[in-house]
Amino acid sequence: MKHQLSQRVQEIEESITLTLNNDVQKMLESGRYIYNLTSGQLPFKPHSPFIASISTELNFLKSFQYPPSEGFRELRQKFLNDFMKSRQVESSGMDCTISNGSKQSLFNALATLVDPGDEVILLTPYWVSYPHMIRLLGGKVIEVQTSVYDSFIPDLNEVEKSIGPKTKAIIINSPNNPSGVHYDENWMKAMAKILVKNPSVYIISDEVYHKICYFDPKPVYFYQFEPSLLERTLVIDGISKFLASTGLRIGSCLGPNEIIQGMKRMQGQTTSGANSLIQRALIHYNFDLAQDYLKAIHEHIRSNAEVLMEVLEQENLSHLWYQCKSAFYFLLDFSSLPILEHCDDKKDYSSLVAKKLLEFEDVAVIPGGPSGIMNSLRLSLVEEQEPFEKGIRKLIEFLKKFKL
Ligand code: PLP
């Protein structure tokens, strides 16, 4: 029987990252060795005090029952305290909701702000889910382009030009997935000035990689220079990345009370709130310990970034290198490489290239086209060093020798 799905759902594309991850998992299960450079999660066990806290909470009935739809009060306060301490700002007038992962926090935030016809500005490269969420809500995506030659840092004149009468919000994701850079202090200061000049624009600051930074100086934010901007900023965070807990599905959103109340209503009617057991375990886990846990992980990512830089240098591709600093990704722009010699330079071939790489070279990567940068590939830096280097070498050889 042919089913008639809603127009809304027909227009949603499959998440490319999750699809590729599933393909890779199937290949691994069939015994095939894959150089897996797709990973959007740290391949390590979470911090042991956090695991111990989960075990303890298993003893309580409350851990198995409905949570308050906006999250347990102690945990919401904990996210607010961690925010004030780590960003050195006051959070008076701000509230917090806990959701099933930052992805749901983002969707609730957008659903609470965006009406059909509203424009939302995305800075390329962006996280692949943003445009789908915006379009699902009837919003229009406005892109600000960047390039590898500017280390994927958006030009602020272009950002300013993209703001118009229909602009409802801008999403700023620093540290950034997929580029692995964070915007520096000068950029954030100038961005703050632009935002002050445009008082009707809301800001969604996706900070899920805030604690994952292996190169100084650390990430800073526009509201640290203009604290009044917190009156219209939603800060997205969660435990998936910094506690290596993507499967536990806990995200948070901090923002002005009225918007958070709207998000709470939205969540109450759709999911009734997030996992009680994990929320309670987090209440008893000291967030300050996370930096200790992340130390070895930061070193691992940094040394893979160095390997990548050396390989690009040896292959005479240093022009494709920029200093990645945070999160755990690098975006390789292959638009100048021989693989595209006979191709239309206005088209994106990143998905095709990723498919062929997996088929012919057993190397799995994420195409960068769906992140707004044509003919680029996202490489994850979390794989063990030896297979990482081998995978990179195979990938570059393929991009140099193969012609589409
Ligand atoms: N935001 C960014 C930039 C991400 O990269 C991700 C996940 O990859 C998320 C949000 C969602 O994270 P989660 O829903 O696992 O908390």
Side-chain angles (χ1 to χ4, degrees), residues 40 100-104 106 127 130 173 175-177 206 208-209 236-241 245-246 249-251 329 378:
N100 296 282
S102 326
K103 200 173 213 168
Q104 196 194 16
L106 273 159
W127 185 46
Y130 300 148
N173 172 220
N176 179 275
N177 173 8
D206 183 345
V208 294
Y209 296 98
I236 307 292
D237 206 342
I239 64 163
S240 281
K241 308 298 169 173
S245 300
T246 47
R249 311 308 303 133
I250 295 287
Y329 312 107
R378 187 191 79 174

Side-chain angles (χ1 to χ4, degrees), residues 15-55:
S15 156
I16 186 91
T17 323
L18 299 181
T19 310
L20 262 156
N21 269 317
N22 289 345
D23 287 353
V24 170
Q25 281 316 318
K26 275 191 213 139
M27 286 178 180
L28 289 171
E29 276 158 27
S30 73
R32 193 163 149 190
Y33 186 85
I34 302 292
Y35 297 89
N36 188 2
L37 307 180
T38 62
S39 189
Q41 58 192 345
L42 293 172
F44 308 106
K45 270 191 115 173
H47 203 195
S48 48
F50 175 46
I51 298 178
S53 180
I54 298 174
S55 301

Side-chain angles (χ1 to χ4, degrees), residues 143-305:
E143 289 187 8
V144 175
Q145 274 300 319
T146 59
S147 91
V148 59
Y149 304 111
D150 300 317
S151 308
F152 298 112
I153 307 288
D155 177 333
L156 285 155
N157 289 323
E158 295 301 315
V159 176
E160 194 160 16
K161 273 195 247 160
S162 70
I163 301 176
K166 289 193 180 159
T167 307
K168 185 67 187 249
I170 177 166
I171 303 185
I172 299 176
N173 172 220
S174 175
N176 179 275
N177 173 8
S179 72
V181 297
H182 52 273
Y183 311 144
D184 69 11
E185 184 170 328
N186 286 338
W187 192 94
M188 284 291 178
K189 276 185 179 158
M191 186 68 205
K193 288 205 173 102
I194 295 173
L195 292 167
V196 167
K197 276 198 274 173
N198 290 279
S200 59
V201 175
Y202 287 91
I203 311 112
I204 298 179
S205 185
D206 183 345
E207 304 180 9
V208 294
Y209 296 98
H210 168 256
K211 290 185 170 51
I212 302 184
C213 172
Y214 51 91
F215 207 93
D216 282 339
K218 302 273 181 279
V220 289
Y221 294 95
F222 50 94
Y223 50 74
Q224 292 171 310
F225 308 105
E226 289 288 351
S228 66
L229 290 171
L230 282 174
E231 287 168 23
R232 50 188 165 102
T233 298
L234 291 169
V235 177
I236 307 292
D237 206 342
I239 64 163
S240 281
K241 308 298 169 173
F242 86 88
L243 274 178
S245 300
T246 47
L248 298 183
R249 311 308 303 133
I250 295 287
S252 66
C253 177
L254 274 59
N257 182 272
E258 199 182 334
I259 301 176
I260 296 292
Q261 289 307 312
M263 291 174 63
K264 173 190 158 186
R265 288 201 298 281
M266 168 87 197
Q267 180 154 294
Q269 295 293 9
T270 50
T271 61
S272 303
N275 188 323
S276 292
L277 171 68
I278 306 301
Q279 287 198 57
R280 286 170 53 83
L282 280 169
I283 292 171
H284 300 113
Y285 170 74
N286 180 357
F287 282 10
D288 292 343
L289 298 178
Q291 279 309 332
D292 257 3
Y293 164 68
L294 288 170
K295 226 181 209 161
I297 294 173
H298 286 159
E299 265 159 37
H300 172 65
I301 304 169
R302 183 171 39 227
S303 84
N304 271 353

